[in-house]
Amino acid sequence: MSQMRIKYLQFIEQCRKDDFFAACGRALGKSLYKSAEFVPAEKELETLRDIPATEGEAFEFVEVGPENFATLGFPRVSRYEYAKNYFRKGYRMIALVRDGDVVGDVWYVDRKMARHRTIHSDLVLYKIGLRDDEVYLFDMYLDDGERGGGLATYFLSCVLKRMREQGFRKAYGSYEVGNIPAMWMHRLIGYRELSPFVLRRYFRVYHVAHAKS
C-alpha cells in the first residue's frame, strides 16, 4: 500500500508539471515494461577533492532520520512518503536545505544500519558485497529549479566528505546510461565505473539484470 500511495502521488505531481495525458502515458509505459542500462561506480574517499560551492547560495546539509524528518519542509509530497518508507528499511538521508525546505536529498546505507540482510536490492543486482567500512549512496534528488550550475556535483561531494568523516573508506553509487548530468557528476567527482548492467522490468514484478556484453 505504501508503494501504491507513492506512485499515486508521483502521478498527481506529474499531472501538475505536464498534463494529465502525458502523465498517463508515462505511468503506463513504466508499468508495462522498462529496459535501462545502469553503471555502478565506486569512489575511494581518501582521494576525494573539494568541489567549489555555488556562489551566492546559502544551504544547510542536514542529517535526517525518523527522529527529525517531520520538522523539515518537503515541497513534493511523494518525497516525504519515500522518506517514511526508507526509514523503515534503516536508511538515512542527507538533505540539502534552504530556508527550512528540503530542495535536494540523497540516501545512504551501510551494513550496520540496514534492516535486511541484503542491505539494498541494488547491491544484489550489481553483485557488490558491502564491507563494514563501505557505504552505498542512492536515489539522489534535486528539485527542478535547483538543477544546473554544478549544484548536484557540489552537493554529492559534500555528502561524500561527510561519509569520510564518519569513517567510511569507500562509497558506491550508480547512474542510468543516458542521464548525461549524472554521468558527468560521477566523473567530475572521480568515481571509478564498474561493469554496466541492463535491467529489464516487466509489469513492475519481474526483474532481470545482467552484465552488458
Side-chain angles (χ1 to χ4, degrees), residues 7 11 14 21-33 204:
K7 296 303 178 186
F11 175 75
Q14 192 67 35
F21 294 105
C24 286
R26 183 177 179 181
L28 182 61
K30 286 187 174 182
S31 297
L32 296 178
Y33 173 75
R204 292 193 178 277

Side-chain angles (χ1 to χ4, degrees), residues 15-191:
C15 287
R16 292 170 180 168
K17 179 181 177 182
D18 298 322
D19 59 56
F20 175 77
F21 294 105
C24 286
R26 183 177 179 181
L28 182 61
K30 286 187 174 182
S31 297
L32 296 178
Y33 173 75
K34 181 179 179 180
S35 178
E37 184 179 341
F38 291 88
V39 179
E42 62 181 13
K43 174 61 181 174
E44 297 285 349
L45 297 183
E46 65 178 9
T47 66
L48 186 65
R49 60 185 179 86
D50 290 336
I51 301 294
T54 304
E55 293 185 5
E57 294 286 4
F59 295 105
E60 293 181 84
F61 298 92
V62 180
E63 178 88 20
V64 185
E67 69 281 357
N68 67 333
F69 89 106
T71 64
L72 298 172
F74 285 77
R76 294 187 63 172
V77 180
S78 63
R79 297 301 294 180
Y80 182 86
E81 292 297 323
Y82 259 118
K84 293 194 295 185
N85 186 45
Y86 280 165
F87 289 137
R88 285 192 288 268
K89 297 179 179 181
Y91 306 156
R92 291 188 68 87
M93 173 208 292
I94 303 294
L96 183 66
V97 179
R98 183 174 58 198
D99 298 329
D101 288 333
V102 176
V103 298
D105 56 70
V106 63
W107 291 85
Y108 73 94
V109 64
D110 67 1
R111 293 183 61 87
K112 296 178 181 178
M113 71 174 63
R115 295 178 181 171
H116 193 277
R117 61 181 180 81
T118 60
I119 306 176
H120 193 286
S121 59
D122 288 355
L123 300 175
V124 177
L125 296 176
Y126 301 147
K127 295 182 172 58
I128 293 174
L130 211 61
R131 299 179 179 178
D132 289 341
D133 59 353
E134 297 175 345
V135 63
Y136 179 57
L137 275 63
F138 60 97
D139 200 6
M140 182 176 175
Y141 173 81
L142 279 179
D143 283 349
D144 291 344
E146 308 295 336
R147 298 176 185 179
L151 178 58
T153 304
Y154 172 66
F155 177 34
L156 183 56
S157 69
C158 290
V159 171
L160 290 171
K161 183 178 180 180
R162 179 166 294 196
M163 296 296 103
R164 184 177 63 188
E165 292 170 351
Q166 292 183 13
F168 293 109
R169 179 184 59 84
K170 180 186 290 187
Y172 288 95
S174 67
Y175 66 87
E176 184 174 350
V177 172
N179 187 340
I180 303 302
M183 178 191 73
W184 280 112
M185 177 181 67
H186 283 81
R187 291 182 178 180
L188 286 170
I189 291 174
Y191 274 86

